[in-house]
PDB file of all heavy atoms in Angstrom:
ATOM      1  N   GLY A 157     119.724  93.224 163.726  1.00 66.00           N
ATOM      2  CA  GLY A 157     120.580  93.669 162.697  1.00 66.00           C
ATOM      3  C   GLY A 157     119.769  94.115 161.466  1.00 66.00           C
ATOM      4  O   GLY A 157     118.736  94.774 161.594  1.00 66.00           O
ATOM      5  N   GLU A 158     120.229  93.711 160.207  1.00 68.00           N
ATOM      6  CA  GLU A 158     119.471  94.084 159.040  1.00 68.00           C
ATOM      7  C   GLU A 158     118.214  93.413 158.867  1.00 68.00           C
ATOM      8  O   GLU A 158     117.319  93.853 158.156  1.00 68.00           O
ATOM      9  CB  GLU A 158     120.418  93.777 157.841  1.00 68.00           C
ATOM     10  CG  GLU A 158     121.673  94.541 157.797  1.00 68.00           C
ATOM     11  CD  GLU A 158     122.535  94.216 156.600  1.00 68.00           C
ATOM     12  OE1 GLU A 158     122.235  93.294 155.847  1.00 68.00           O
ATOM     13  OE2 GLU A 158     123.569  94.945 156.438  1.00 68.00           O
ATOM     14  N   ASN A 159     118.058  92.261 159.564  1.00 68.00           N
ATOM     15  CA  ASN A 159     116.715  91.517 159.439  1.00 68.00           C
ATOM     16  C   ASN A 159     115.669  92.035 160.456  1.00 68.00           C
ATOM     17  O   ASN A 159     114.582  91.405 160.504  1.00 68.00           O
ATOM     18  CB  ASN A 159     117.100  90.016 159.712  1.00 68.00           C
ATOM     19  CG  ASN A 159     117.936  89.445 158.684  1.00 68.00           C
ATOM     20  OD1 ASN A 159     117.955  89.829 157.502  1.00 68.00           O
ATOM     21  ND2 ASN A 159     118.843  88.456 159.054  1.00 68.00           N
ATOM     22  N   SER A 160     115.896  93.018 161.214  1.00 71.00           N
ATOM     23  CA  SER A 160     114.947  93.487 162.155  1.00 71.00           C
ATOM     24  C   SER A 160     113.844  94.238 161.498  1.00 71.00           C
ATOM     25  O   SER A 160     114.192  95.152 160.639  1.00 71.00           O
ATOM     26  CB  SER A 160     115.651  94.412 163.245  1.00 71.00           C
ATOM     27  OG  SER A 160     116.235  95.494 162.593  1.00 71.00           O
ATOM     28  N   VAL A 161     112.613  93.988 161.826  1.00 78.00           N
ATOM     29  CA  VAL A 161     111.434  94.621 161.298  1.00 78.00           C
ATOM     30  C   VAL A 161     110.484  95.086 162.435  1.00 78.00           C
ATOM     31  O   VAL A 161     110.377  94.237 163.464  1.00 78.00           O
ATOM     32  CB  VAL A 161     110.727  93.702 160.213  1.00 78.00           C
ATOM     33  CG1 VAL A 161     111.642  93.491 159.025  1.00 78.00           C
ATOM     34  CG2 VAL A 161     110.360  92.409 160.907  1.00 78.00           C
ATOM     35  N   PRO A 162     109.857  96.149 162.311  1.00 80.00           N
ATOM     36  CA  PRO A 162     108.857  96.510 163.352  1.00 80.00           C
ATOM     37  C   PRO A 162     107.596  95.736 163.200  1.00 80.00           C
ATOM     38  O   PRO A 162     107.184  95.519 162.098  1.00 80.00           O
ATOM     39  CB  PRO A 162     108.674  98.013 163.106  1.00 80.00           C
ATOM     40  CG  PRO A 162     108.956  98.199 161.719  1.00 80.00           C
ATOM     41  CD  PRO A 162     110.130  97.224 161.307  1.00 80.00           C
ATOM     42  N   VAL A 163     107.127  95.274 164.409  1.00 83.00           N
ATOM     43  CA  VAL A 163     105.965  94.484 164.406  1.00 83.00           C
ATOM     44  C   VAL A 163     104.877  95.176 165.293  1.00 83.00           C
ATOM     45  O   VAL A 163     105.324  95.523 166.434  1.00 83.00           O
ATOM     46  CB  VAL A 163     106.123  93.044 164.856  1.00 83.00           C
ATOM     47  CG1 VAL A 163     104.840  92.245 164.884  1.00 83.00           C
ATOM     48  CG2 VAL A 163     107.204  92.305 163.988  1.00 83.00           C
ATOM     49  N   LYS A 164     103.739  95.406 164.861  1.00 86.00           N
ATOM     50  CA  LYS A 164     102.747  96.106 165.736  1.00 86.00           C
ATOM     51  C   LYS A 164     101.756  95.020 166.338  1.00 86.00           C
ATOM     52  O   LYS A 164     101.354  94.090 165.739  1.00 86.00           O
ATOM     53  CB  LYS A 164     101.851  97.084 164.901  1.00 86.00           C
ATOM     54  CG  LYS A 164     102.586  98.238 164.328  1.00 86.00           C
ATOM     55  CD  LYS A 164     101.664  99.136 163.498  1.00 86.00           C
ATOM     56  CE  LYS A 164     102.450 100.520 163.178  1.00 86.00           C
ATOM     57  NZ  LYS A 164     101.644 101.432 162.462  1.00 86.00           N
ATOM     58  N   TYR A 165     101.479  95.313 167.610  1.00 86.00           N
ATOM     59  CA  TYR A 165     100.560  94.480 168.359  1.00 86.00           C
ATOM     60  C   TYR A 165      99.405  95.318 168.800  1.00 86.00           C
ATOM     61  O   TYR A 165      99.624  96.485 169.174  1.00 86.00           O
ATOM     62  CB  TYR A 165     101.255  93.816 169.458  1.00 86.00           C
ATOM     63  CG  TYR A 165     102.295  92.744 169.050  1.00 86.00           C
ATOM     64  CD1 TYR A 165     103.604  93.121 168.900  1.00 86.00           C
ATOM     65  CD2 TYR A 165     101.891  91.492 168.832  1.00 86.00           C
ATOM     66  CE1 TYR A 165     104.623  92.236 168.554  1.00 86.00           C
ATOM     67  CE2 TYR A 165     102.912  90.480 168.499  1.00 86.00           C
ATOM     68  CZ  TYR A 165     104.158  90.996 168.326  1.00 86.00           C
ATOM     69  OH  TYR A 165     105.153  90.018 167.940  1.00 86.00           O
ATOM     70  N   SER A 166      98.263  94.722 169.005  1.00 87.00           N
ATOM     71  CA  SER A 166      97.052  95.391 169.531  1.00 87.00           C
ATOM     72  C   SER A 166      96.726  94.936 170.927  1.00 87.00           C
ATOM     73  O   SER A 166      97.033  93.783 171.259  1.00 87.00           O
ATOM     74  CB  SER A 166      95.919  95.213 168.547  1.00 87.00           C
ATOM     75  OG  SER A 166      96.192  95.772 167.288  1.00 87.00           O
ATOM     76  N   ILE A 167      96.016  95.741 171.653  1.00 88.00           N
ATOM     77  CA  ILE A 167      95.599  95.355 172.998  1.00 88.00           C
ATOM     78  C   ILE A 167      94.099  95.593 173.039  1.00 88.00           C
ATOM     79  O   ILE A 167      93.541  96.614 172.591  1.00 88.00           O
ATOM     80  CB  ILE A 167      96.164  96.337 173.990  1.00 88.00           C
ATOM     81  CG1 ILE A 167      97.734  96.124 174.118  1.00 88.00           C
ATOM     82  CG2 ILE A 167      95.593  96.003 175.428  1.00 88.00           C
ATOM     83  CD1 ILE A 167      98.510  97.195 175.042  1.00 88.00           C
ATOM     84  N   ASP A 168      93.358  94.499 173.494  1.00 88.00           N
ATOM     85  CA  ASP A 168      91.900  94.574 173.567  1.00 88.00           C
ATOM     86  C   ASP A 168      91.538  93.780 174.859  1.00 88.00           C
ATOM     87  O   ASP A 168      91.466  92.638 174.840  1.00 88.00           O
ATOM     88  CB  ASP A 168      91.277  93.970 172.296  1.00 88.00           C
ATOM     89  CG  ASP A 168      89.736  94.262 172.266  1.00 88.00           C
ATOM     90  OD1 ASP A 168      89.192  94.837 173.305  1.00 88.00           O
ATOM     91  OD2 ASP A 168      89.094  93.839 171.318  1.00 88.00           O
ATOM     92  N   ARG A 169      91.307  94.546 175.913  1.00 87.00           N
ATOM     93  CA  ARG A 169      91.029  93.997 177.117  1.00 87.00           C
ATOM     94  C   ARG A 169      89.771  94.563 177.832  1.00 87.00           C
ATOM     95  O   ARG A 169      89.460  95.771 177.429  1.00 87.00           O
ATOM     96  CB  ARG A 169      92.158  94.031 178.144  1.00 87.00           C
ATOM     97  CG  ARG A 169      93.412  93.396 177.719  1.00 87.00           C
ATOM     98  CD  ARG A 169      93.350  91.916 177.752  1.00 87.00           C
ATOM     99  NE  ARG A 169      94.672  91.427 177.323  1.00 87.00           N
ATOM    100  CZ  ARG A 169      95.701  91.136 178.119  1.00 87.00           C
ATOM    101  NH1 ARG A 169      95.464  91.306 179.470  1.00 87.00           N
ATOM    102  NH2 ARG A 169      96.704  90.614 177.775  1.00 87.00           N
ATOM    103  N   THR A 170      89.192  93.919 178.757  1.00 88.00           N
ATOM    104  CA  THR A 170      88.123  94.500 179.500  1.00 88.00           C
ATOM    105  C   THR A 170      88.347  94.245 180.952  1.00 88.00           C
ATOM    106  O   THR A 170      88.515  93.091 181.384  1.00 88.00           O
ATOM    107  CB  THR A 170      86.689  93.852 179.158  1.00 88.00           C
ATOM    108  OG1 THR A 170      86.455  94.226 177.691  1.00 88.00           O
ATOM    109  CG2 THR A 170      85.574  94.500 179.946  1.00 88.00           C
ATOM    110  N   ALA A 171      88.399  95.254 181.702  1.00 86.00           N
ATOM    111  CA  ALA A 171      88.686  95.129 183.231  1.00 86.00           C
ATOM    112  C   ALA A 171      87.510  95.580 184.023  1.00 86.00           C
ATOM    113  O   ALA A 171      86.970  96.573 183.757  1.00 86.00           O
ATOM    114  CB  ALA A 171      89.971  96.012 183.569  1.00 86.00           C
ATOM    115  N   ASP A 172      87.248  94.881 184.986  1.00 83.00           N
ATOM    116  CA  ASP A 172      86.033  95.156 185.919  1.00 83.00           C
ATOM    117  C   ASP A 172      86.623  95.657 187.280  1.00 83.00           C
ATOM    118  O   ASP A 172      85.779  95.841 188.205  1.00 83.00           O
ATOM    119  CB  ASP A 172      85.266  93.873 186.153  1.00 83.00           C
ATOM    120  CG  ASP A 172      86.016  92.720 186.629  1.00 83.00           C
ATOM    121  OD1 ASP A 172      87.239  92.899 186.739  1.00 83.00           O
ATOM    122  OD2 ASP A 172      85.350  91.634 186.827  1.00 83.00           O
ATOM    123  N   ARG A 173      87.900  95.865 187.433  1.00 83.00           N
ATOM    124  CA  ARG A 173      88.439  96.404 188.644  1.00 83.00           C
ATOM    125  C   ARG A 173      89.778  97.155 188.312  1.00 83.00           C
ATOM    126  O   ARG A 173      90.371  96.975 187.258  1.00 83.00           O
ATOM    127  CB  ARG A 173      88.713  95.188 189.639  1.00 83.00           C
ATOM    128  CG  ARG A 173      89.656  94.204 188.994  1.00 83.00           C
ATOM    129  CD  ARG A 173      89.977  93.089 189.876  1.00 83.00           C
ATOM    130  NE  ARG A 173      90.742  91.990 189.209  1.00 83.00           N
ATOM    131  CZ  ARG A 173      92.039  92.020 189.045  1.00 83.00           C
ATOM    132  NH1 ARG A 173      92.681  93.105 189.500  1.00 83.00           N
ATOM    133  NH2 ARG A 173      92.678  91.061 188.449  1.00 83.00           N
ATOM    134  N   MET A 174      90.151  97.910 189.316  1.00 83.00           N
ATOM    135  CA  MET A 174      91.416  98.559 189.231  1.00 83.00           C
ATOM    136  C   MET A 174      92.049  98.455 190.529  1.00 83.00           C
ATOM    137  O   MET A 174      91.435  98.415 191.665  1.00 83.00           O
ATOM    138  CB  MET A 174      91.250 100.065 188.935  1.00 83.00           C
ATOM    139  CG  MET A 174      90.845 100.383 187.570  1.00 83.00           C
ATOM    140  SD  MET A 174      92.212 100.125 186.346  1.00 83.00           S
ATOM    141  CE  MET A 174      91.341 100.312 184.828  1.00 83.00           C
ATOM    142  N   PRO A 175      93.434  98.159 190.620  1.00 85.00           N
ATOM    143  CA  PRO A 175      94.386  98.201 189.470  1.00 85.00           C
ATOM    144  C   PRO A 175      94.245  97.020 188.605  1.00 85.00           C
ATOM    145  O   PRO A 175      93.760  95.953 189.090  1.00 85.00           O
ATOM    146  CB  PRO A 175      95.778  98.262 190.210  1.00 85.00           C
ATOM    147  CG  PRO A 175      95.524  97.671 191.537  1.00 85.00           C
ATOM    148  CD  PRO A 175      94.119  98.011 191.875  1.00 85.00           C
ATOM    149  N   TYR A 176      94.832  97.227 187.498  1.00 87.00           N
ATOM    150  CA  TYR A 176      94.688  96.098 186.384  1.00 87.00           C
ATOM    151  C   TYR A 176      95.957  96.099 185.745  1.00 87.00           C
ATOM    152  O   TYR A 176      96.606  97.166 185.297  1.00 87.00           O
ATOM    153  CB  TYR A 176      93.590  96.426 185.406  1.00 87.00           C
ATOM    154  CG  TYR A 176      93.394  95.381 184.396  1.00 87.00           C
ATOM    155  CD1 TYR A 176      92.726  94.135 184.817  1.00 87.00           C
ATOM    156  CD2 TYR A 176      93.772  95.507 183.099  1.00 87.00           C
ATOM    157  CE1 TYR A 176      92.548  93.104 183.835  1.00 87.00           C
ATOM    158  CE2 TYR A 176      93.523  94.421 182.164  1.00 87.00           C
ATOM    159  CZ  TYR A 176      92.861  93.293 182.517  1.00 87.00           C
ATOM    160  OH  TYR A 176      92.741  92.313 181.614  1.00 87.00           O
ATOM    161  N   THR A 177      96.562  94.862 185.418  1.00 89.00           N
ATOM    162  CA  THR A 177      97.864  94.748 184.729  1.00 89.00           C
ATOM    163  C   THR A 177      97.638  94.036 183.536  1.00 89.00           C
ATOM    164  O   THR A 177      96.834  93.128 183.286  1.00 89.00           O
ATOM    165  CB  THR A 177      98.885  93.878 185.559  1.00 89.00           C
ATOM    166  OG1 THR A 177      98.243  92.713 185.944  1.00 89.00           O
ATOM    167  CG2 THR A 177      99.204  94.705 186.902  1.00 89.00           C
ATOM    168  N   ILE A 178      98.558  94.432 182.479  1.00 89.00           N
ATOM    169  CA  ILE A 178      98.492  93.906 181.024  1.00 89.00           C
ATOM    170  C   ILE A 178      99.966  93.375 180.805  1.00 89.00           C
ATOM    171  O   ILE A 178     100.887  94.258 180.733  1.00 89.00           O
ATOM    172  CB  ILE A 178      98.007  94.877 180.036  1.00 89.00           C
ATOM    173  CG1 ILE A 178      96.575  95.427 180.471  1.00 89.00           C
ATOM    174  CG2 ILE A 178      97.933  94.190 178.737  1.00 89.00           C
ATOM    175  CD1 ILE A 178      96.123  96.601 179.563  1.00 89.00           C
ATOM    176  N   ASN A 179     100.001  92.116 180.605  1.00 88.00           N
ATOM    177  CA  ASN A 179     101.415  91.462 180.245  1.00 88.00           C
ATOM    178  C   ASN A 179     101.620  91.583 178.702  1.00 88.00           C
ATOM    179  O   ASN A 179     100.826  91.049 178.080  1.00 88.00           O
ATOM    180  CB  ASN A 179     101.524  90.038 180.771  1.00 88.00           C
ATOM    181  CG  ASN A 179     101.516  90.047 182.269  1.00 88.00           C
ATOM    182  OD1 ASN A 179     101.935  90.838 182.946  1.00 88.00           O
ATOM    183  ND2 ASN A 179     100.837  88.884 182.767  1.00 88.00           N
ATOM    184  N   THR A 180     102.699  92.299 178.371  1.00 87.00           N
ATOM    185  CA  THR A 180     103.022  92.482 176.981  1.00 87.00           C
ATOM    186  C   THR A 180     104.446  92.201 176.725  1.00 87.00           C
ATOM    187  O   THR A 180     105.251  91.995 177.763  1.00 87.00           O
ATOM    188  CB  THR A 180     102.662  93.868 176.487  1.00 87.00           C
ATOM    189  OG1 THR A 180     103.558  94.750 177.211  1.00 87.00           O
ATOM    190  CG2 THR A 180     101.220  94.283 176.779  1.00 87.00           C
ATOM    191  N   SER A 181     104.750  92.041 175.508  1.00 83.00           N
ATOM    192  CA  SER A 181     106.228  91.739 175.240  1.00 83.00           C
ATOM    193  C   SER A 181     107.135  93.020 175.517  1.00 83.00           C
ATOM    194  O   SER A 181     108.414  92.812 175.505  1.00 83.00           O
ATOM    195  CB  SER A 181     106.390  91.295 173.702  1.00 83.00           C
ATOM    196  OG  SER A 181     105.810  92.426 172.837  1.00 83.00           O
ATOM    197  N   ILE A 182     106.586  94.218 175.641  1.00 85.00           N
ATOM    198  CA  ILE A 182     107.426  95.356 175.984  1.00 85.00           C
ATOM    199  C   ILE A 182     107.302  95.552 177.455  1.00 85.00           C
ATOM    200  O   ILE A 182     107.947  96.625 177.998  1.00 85.00           O
ATOM    201  CB  ILE A 182     106.932  96.562 175.209  1.00 85.00           C
ATOM    202  CG1 ILE A 182     105.459  96.850 175.531  1.00 85.00           C
ATOM    203  CG2 ILE A 182     107.085  96.332 173.736  1.00 85.00           C
ATOM    204  CD1 ILE A 182     104.912  98.174 175.072  1.00 85.00           C
ATOM    205  N   GLY A 183     106.760  94.785 178.323  1.00 86.00           N
ATOM    206  CA  GLY A 183     106.741  95.012 179.734  1.00 86.00           C
ATOM    207  C   GLY A 183     105.379  94.833 180.276  1.00 86.00           C
ATOM    208  O   GLY A 183     104.426  94.505 179.582  1.00 86.00           O
ATOM    209  N   ILE A 184     105.286  95.029 181.571  1.00 88.00           N
ATOM    210  CA  ILE A 184     103.922  94.902 182.284  1.00 88.00           C
ATOM    211  C   ILE A 184     103.434  96.331 182.519  1.00 88.00           C
ATOM    212  O   ILE A 184     103.938  97.205 183.162  1.00 88.00           O
ATOM    213  CB  ILE A 184     104.133  94.277 183.717  1.00 88.00           C
ATOM    214  CG1 ILE A 184     104.725  92.821 183.575  1.00 88.00           C
ATOM    215  CG2 ILE A 184     102.817  94.175 184.420  1.00 88.00           C
ATOM    216  CD1 ILE A 184     105.226  92.216 184.864  1.00 88.00           C
ATOM    217  N   ILE A 185     102.220  96.545 181.854  1.00 89.00           N
ATOM    218  CA  ILE A 185     101.534  97.787 181.874  1.00 89.00           C
ATOM    219  C   ILE A 185     100.573  97.758 183.033  1.00 89.00           C
ATOM    220  O   ILE A 185      99.777  96.823 183.220  1.00 89.00           O
ATOM    221  CB  ILE A 185     100.680  98.148 180.625  1.00 89.00           C
ATOM    222  CG1 ILE A 185     101.766  98.170 179.389  1.00 89.00           C
ATOM    223  CG2 ILE A 185      99.984  99.409 180.720  1.00 89.00           C
ATOM    224  CD1 ILE A 185     101.080  98.268 178.152  1.00 89.00           C
ATOM    225  N   THR A 186     100.695  98.675 184.010  1.00 90.00           N
ATOM    226  CA  THR A 186      99.851  98.765 185.296  1.00 90.00           C
ATOM    227  C   THR A 186      98.973  99.997 185.186  1.00 90.00           C
ATOM    228  O   THR A 186      99.366 101.087 184.862  1.00 90.00           O
ATOM    229  CB  THR A 186     100.760  98.867 186.443  1.00 90.00           C
ATOM    230  OG1 THR A 186     101.634  97.663 186.479  1.00 90.00           O
ATOM    231  CG2 THR A 186      99.835  98.735 187.744  1.00 90.00           C
ATOM    232  N   LEU A 187      97.660  99.614 185.237  1.00 89.00           N
ATOM    233  CA  LEU A 187      96.624 100.699 185.306  1.00 89.00           C
ATOM    234  C   LEU A 187      96.047 100.791 186.723  1.00 89.00           C
ATOM    235  O   LEU A 187      95.652  99.662 187.338  1.00 89.00           O
ATOM    236  CB  LEU A 187      95.470 100.445 184.366  1.00 89.00           C
ATOM    237  CG  LEU A 187      96.045 100.299 182.824  1.00 89.00           C
ATOM    238  CD1 LEU A 187      94.783  99.943 181.977  1.00 89.00           C
ATOM    239  CD2 LEU A 187      96.584 101.680 182.346  1.00 89.00           C
ATOM    240  N   LYS A 188      95.874 101.923 187.228  1.00 89.00           N
ATOM    241  CA  LYS A 188      95.257 101.986 188.651  1.00 89.00           C
ATOM    242  C   LYS A 188      94.477 103.332 188.757  1.00 89.00           C
ATOM    243  O   LYS A 188      94.730 104.321 188.072  1.00 89.00           O
ATOM    244  CB  LYS A 188      96.263 101.906 189.685  1.00 89.00           C
ATOM    245  CG  LYS A 188      97.363 103.034 189.674  1.00 89.00           C
ATOM    246  CD  LYS A 188      98.298 102.790 190.878  1.00 89.00           C
ATOM    247  CE  LYS A 188      99.416 103.831 190.736  1.00 89.00           C
ATOM    248  NZ  LYS A 188     100.429 103.708 191.886  1.00 89.00           N
ATOM    249  N   ARG A 189      93.476 103.314 189.519  1.00 85.00           N
ATOM    250  CA  ARG A 189      92.594 104.421 189.722  1.00 85.00           C
ATOM    251  C   ARG A 189      93.277 105.389 190.787  1.00 85.00           C
ATOM    252  O   ARG A 189      93.907 104.953 191.731  1.00 85.00           O
ATOM    253  CB  ARG A 189      91.329 103.984 190.341  1.00 85.00           C
ATOM    254  CG  ARG A 189      90.200 105.022 190.455  1.00 85.00           C
ATOM    255  CD  ARG A 189      88.960 104.594 190.978  1.00 85.00           C
ATOM    256  NE  ARG A 189      88.306 103.515 190.171  1.00 85.00           N
ATOM    257  CZ  ARG A 189      87.533 102.686 190.557  1.00 85.00           C
ATOM    258  NH1 ARG A 189      87.077 102.531 191.922  1.00 85.00           N
ATOM    259  NH2 ARG A 189      86.978 101.734 189.807  1.00 85.00           N
ATOM    260  N   THR A 190      93.149 106.694 190.520  1.00 83.00           N
ATOM    261  CA  THR A 190      93.736 107.590 191.260  1.00 83.00           C
ATOM    262  C   THR A 190      92.603 108.226 192.268  1.00 83.00           C
ATOM    263  O   THR A 190      91.408 107.862 192.180  1.00 83.00           O
ATOM    264  CB  THR A 190      94.333 108.859 190.414  1.00 83.00           C
ATOM    265  OG1 THR A 190      93.212 109.429 189.728  1.00 83.00           O
ATOM    266  CG2 THR A 190      95.393 108.265 189.511  1.00 83.00           C
ATOM    267  N   THR A 191      93.018 109.191 193.110  1.00 76.00           N
ATOM    268  CA  THR A 191      92.138 109.814 194.000  1.00 76.00           C
ATOM    269  C   THR A 191      91.209 110.947 193.397  1.00 76.00           C
ATOM    270  O   THR A 191      90.448 111.523 194.062  1.00 76.00           O
ATOM    271  CB  THR A 191      92.885 110.426 195.285  1.00 76.00           C
ATOM    272  OG1 THR A 191      93.928 111.347 194.774  1.00 76.00           O
ATOM    273  CG2 THR A 191      93.574 109.382 195.920  1.00 76.00           C
ATOM    274  N   ALA A 192      91.580 111.233 192.140  1.00 69.00           N
ATOM    275  CA  ALA A 192      90.792 112.249 191.389  1.00 69.00           C
ATOM    276  C   ALA A 192      89.480 111.686 191.055  1.00 69.00           C
ATOM    277  O   ALA A 192      89.081 110.570 191.374  1.00 69.00           O
ATOM    278  CB  ALA A 192      91.523 112.676 190.170  1.00 69.00           C
ATOM    279  N   LYS A 193      88.684 112.525 190.324  1.00 75.00           N
ATOM    280  CA  LYS A 193      87.366 112.094 189.926  1.00 75.00           C
ATOM    281  C   LYS A 193      87.415 110.895 189.033  1.00 75.00           C
ATOM    282  O   LYS A 193      88.433 110.632 188.248  1.00 75.00           O
ATOM    283  CB  LYS A 193      86.648 113.272 189.145  1.00 75.00           C
ATOM    284  CG  LYS A 193      87.371 113.763 187.961  1.00 75.00           C
ATOM    285  CD  LYS A 193      86.645 114.972 187.408  1.00 75.00           C
ATOM    286  CE  LYS A 193      87.393 115.400 186.152  1.00 75.00           C
ATOM    287  NZ  LYS A 193      86.715 116.581 185.469  1.00 75.00           N
ATOM    288  N   THR A 194      86.319 110.136 189.071  1.00 79.00           N
ATOM    289  CA  THR A 194      86.279 108.894 188.220  1.00 79.00           C
ATOM    290  C   THR A 194      85.969 109.256 186.770  1.00 79.00           C
ATOM    291  O   THR A 194      85.443 110.389 186.443  1.00 79.00           O
ATOM    292  CB  THR A 194      85.178 107.977 188.758  1.00 79.00           C
ATOM    293  OG1 THR A 194      83.909 108.650 188.725  1.00 79.00           O
ATOM    294  CG2 THR A 194      85.581 107.559 190.154  1.00 79.00           C
ATOM    295  N   LEU A 195      86.323 108.299 185.854  1.00 80.00           N
ATOM    296  CA  LEU A 195      86.027 108.521 184.439  1.00 80.00           C
ATOM    297  C   LEU A 195      84.579 108.330 184.219  1.00 80.00           C
ATOM    298  O   LEU A 195      83.978 107.234 184.499  1.00 80.00           O
ATOM    299  CB  LEU A 195      86.866 107.576 183.664  1.00 80.00           C
ATOM    300  CG  LEU A 195      86.719 107.620 182.121  1.00 80.00           C
ATOM    301  CD1 LEU A 195      87.397 108.984 181.720  1.00 80.00           C
ATOM    302  CD2 LEU A 195      87.494 106.501 181.451  1.00 80.00           C
ATOM    303  N   PRO A 196      83.835 109.321 183.548  1.00 79.00           N
ATOM    304  CA  PRO A 196      82.400 109.259 183.482  1.00 79.00           C
ATOM    305  C   PRO A 196      82.069 108.062 182.483  1.00 79.00           C
ATOM    306  O   PRO A 196      82.932 107.730 181.521  1.00 79.00           O
ATOM    307  CB  PRO A 196      82.029 110.639 182.858  1.00 79.00           C
ATOM    308  CG  PRO A 196      83.109 111.507 183.296  1.00 79.00           C
ATOM    309  CD  PRO A 196      84.365 110.710 183.206  1.00 79.00           C
TER     310      PRO A 196
END
């Protein structure tokens, strides 16, 4: 209601493998490697 305020949250993770999941209050973020070229 009137007492609602936006709150910002930061993400700071280090992953040594893919796929990788990040549990947050807005849901589960899933990161996975594709068949395309790798990130240099």
